[in-house]
Amino acid sequence: MTSTDPTESAPRYVRVTIELVAEITDEKALKAAALTQVQDDEYLEDDERAQAVEAIEVDPSGSLAHFIDPVALLGAVPGVELASATWESAHTEFDPDDETWEEHSLD
């Protein structure tokens, strides 16, 4: 017989997959904000900071990645602790009028 008492069960892990498509409407503003965030991040080591600045300089998707905060997404959810998080941002071809985009976006 399986117990339904949550205090007796092992922790449950749930993988949440979210796909967002963001339109960058002001690349200069995004880049400036990302550079400021990287410079103000007291937890970044010098080599990590240099890599972050390089990513920001190369591609706006590198800038956007600095604003992804999984802790903020789950931090206020009762009974949930973030166990692990990973994400990436990359340029994508997106046509909001193409109804089949979702079908081939996972290719």
Side-chain angles (χ1 to χ4, degrees):
M1 183 168 171
T2 304
S3 172
T4 58
D5 182 356
T7 61
E8 294 180 24
S9 64
R12 297 181 186 179
Y13 296 94
V14 177
R15 180 180 306 269
V16 178
T17 303
I18 300 172
E19 182 173 329
L20 303 171
V21 176
E23 178 182 4
I24 297 173
T25 59
D26 188 339
E27 188 173 331
K28 288 181 183 180
L30 174 61
K31 181 178 178 178
L35 287 170
T36 297
Q37 183 168 354
V38 167
Q39 294 305 324
D40 293 347
D41 189 336
E42 63 188 56
Y43 299 107
L44 282 179
E45 300 289 333
D46 289 342
D47 60 330
E48 292 173 317
R49 190 179 319 279
Q51 290 174 359
V53 168
E54 182 180 348
I56 291 167
E57 295 290 347
V58 170
D59 186 349
S61 65
S63 299
L64 185 59
H66 291 281
F67 295 98
I68 307 301
D69 186 355
V71 174
L73 182 64
L74 293 178
V77 178
V80 175
E81 182 176 323
L82 182 63
S84 175
T86 182
W87 65 96
E88 66 179 48
S89 58
H91 177 76
T92 186
E93 295 300 323
F94 176 72
D95 179 357
D97 297 325
D98 182 359
E99 294 177 10
T100 63
W101 186 80
E102 286 186 14
E103 294 171 12
H104 55 265
S105 67
L106 300 176
D107 293 346

